[in-house]
Amino acid sequence: MTMDIRTMLFALALGNLAICVALFFHMYDRHKTPALGTWALARQLQAGGWLLLFMRGTGILPDLVTVPAGYSLVFAGLAAEVVALRQAVEMRSWRLPMIAAIALSVPAYLAAFVIDADGIRVVAGSLIMGALYFASAAALASGWGGASAARRFLAVATALLAAVVTARGVMVLTMPQGWGWLSDPFLQVVSSGAFYLLMVLGCVGFMLI
């Protein structure tokens, strides 16, 4: 049995908020690194984004607010996560490139939302998220020979997540009524797996680096 999509979104929002609290207490009496501060910001942005998406269709806020604002926060959080991971593995942080990426991707997503709120929007969102997850996987995979087994696992898992998210966008283009992929039993299982990966990586990933 797969988890309801709304339950997953709520779990993602709650999980990101919980990891912020856990990181605060974990580092309360320790030296705060730049990577930790950036990671906490990334978790907060993603928590806010997933919470807005959870509220889609509830009547609390109109969908014209929850969907564009929610995904914009998720994109910003994923970009901040790339910066944090690169800081954690002592690479150039890519702060400016990630700011530029968000400055381009958010308007592109909003334009896609205006043009086609069901089809093109899903393609744009999936490709943007997939690219950001691939950037995180690349950061984790840097220095592969000297990386720990846990870090290698995280790199592979994040790359797998990126592939699944990107595949969603491809399906919209190649499959009839592709944006309804969650209704297909097989694809529903795949999407559930992606959400589970999101929750696991979001809750424990940074601490395993």
Side-chain angles (χ1 to χ4, degrees), residues 171-197:
M171 289 174 189
V172 174
L173 296 175
T174 59
M175 295 177 61
Q177 298 179 336
W179 50 87
W181 69 304
L182 288 174
S183 63
D184 181 271
F186 173 75
L187 294 176
Q188 189 174 8
V189 171
V190 174
S191 67
S192 298
F195 275 109
Y196 293 145
L197 274 175

Side-chain angles (χ1 to χ4, degrees), residues 33-39 80-95 136 139-142 147-148 151 154 205-209:
T33 65
L36 182 67
T38 308
W39 179 269
E81 189 168 332
V82 174
V83 174
L85 289 173
R86 291 181 65 87
Q87 289 174 331
V89 298
E90 299 181 350
M91 299 172 66
R92 291 183 60 185
S93 70
W94 273 16
R95 184 177 286 105
S136 290
L140 289 166
S142 64
S148 65
R151 185 170 144 194
L154 290 173
F206 190 79
M207 294 181 179
L208 293 178
I209 297 177

Side-chain angles (χ1 to χ4, degrees), residues 101-151:
I102 294 304
L104 293 174
S105 62
V106 169
Y109 180 81
L110 295 178
F113 180 81
V114 172
I115 295 170
D116 184 358
D118 290 324
I120 298 177
R121 174 191 68 81
V122 175
V123 175
S126 297
L127 295 181
I128 292 169
M129 290 180 66
L132 291 170
Y133 281 125
F134 273 124
S136 290
L140 289 166
S142 64
W144 183 269
S148 65
R151 185 170 144 194

